[in-house]
Amino acid sequence: MDFLEIANKRQSCRKFNPDLPVEREKLEKIIQAGILSPSACNGQPYHFTVCEGETAKSVAKCCTDIGINKFAYDAPVMLVISEAPYCKMAATGAKLKHNDYRSIDIGIASAYITAEAASLGVESCILGWINDKQIREVCGISGAARLVIALGYPKEGYEIRPKKRKDFDELVTFYYK
């Protein structure tokens, strides 16, 4: 499967099968993809916390506090991505350029993780509506929790939806000079 096939296949799953665990070897490949993602000065300013079982349910609760993301309770894996300290060079660049490289790096790692999951037949959904304080308590992490990625296999009959995207010409400008 080439990358554009993966990009077309990958979608935010909201119907996980809670009875099908994600195999350890697939989880390790998915995490390895995040580790291999590019980051500012190769600093990798993040940490991945893989939650399964009751811990996954507790993390799901931290993502549903206003009644949204209820599907997360069925995801067998909740992957928490939290901040880690910048390396010195990236910290200097972030300060001088007023740019939050850590958030960019976490976003890139998330893209790699969800693409690898899709290539392995594992569905995902990136959750940004999270309770940082509660997730830190549940997972025993010190860095700010920034994203949670729900991972698992879809319920039977779950279909790939057609992509709804803006037109290419609306999003792209070519300069030839």
Side-chain angles (χ1 to χ4, degrees):
M1 190 178 322
D2 72 21
F3 184 77
L4 285 179
E5 289 173 315
I6 293 168
N8 275 305
K9 178 184 181 292
R10 195 257 153 215
Q11 63 185 2
S12 295
C13 182
R14 292 182 177 84
K15 292 183 181 178
F16 290 101
N17 183 338
D19 300 321
L20 285 177
V22 179
E23 301 88 341
R24 179 60 46 126
E25 57 275 4
K26 286 188 179 182
L27 274 177
E28 289 177 5
K29 285 182 178 182
I30 290 166
I31 300 301
Q32 189 63 34
I35 291 168
L36 290 171
S37 68
S39 61
C41 304
N42 197 30
Q44 299 175 289
Y46 40 72
H47 183 82
F48 305 121
T49 303
V50 181
C51 304
E52 298 176 282
E54 289 305 311
T55 306
K57 301 281 186 234
S58 295
V59 171
K61 185 176 181 181
C62 301
C63 303
T64 60
D65 62 354
I66 64 166
I68 62 170
N69 299 332
K70 290 189 182 224
F71 62 87
Y73 286 108
D74 286 338
V77 178
M78 298 295 275
L79 173 62
V80 176
I81 304 179
S82 56
E83 288 184 354
Y86 277 122
C87 67
K88 287 182 183 183
M89 186 64 127
T92 301
K95 192 171 197 167
L96 290 173
K97 292 298 183 180
H98 308 286
N99 204 345
D100 182 7
Y101 298 122
R102 192 169 19 215
S103 291
I104 295 166
D105 294 342
I106 288 170
I108 295 167
S110 298
Y112 272 54
I113 286 166
T114 57
E116 179 64 10
S119 80
L120 297 171
V122 177
E123 298 290 335
S124 62
C125 188
I126 301 170
L127 307 173
W129 185 275
I130 62 175
N131 186 314
D132 168 52
K133 182 180 177 190
Q134 289 177 353
I135 290 173
R136 286 187 199 205
E137 290 172 11
V138 168
C139 296
I141 56 176
S142 58
R146 290 297 175 212
L147 292 175
V148 173
I149 302 176
L151 294 165
Y153 293 103
K155 287 185 178 176
E156 190 173 325
Y158 187 70
E159 296 181 11
I160 297 175
R161 301 176 299 275
K163 300 281 186 196
K164 295 179 183 176
R165 299 292 189 263
K166 293 180 180 178
D167 186 62
F168 185 89
D169 292 333
E170 185 180 349
L171 295 173
V172 179
T173 303
F174 285 97
Y175 285 101
Y176 299 103
K177 296 180 188 180

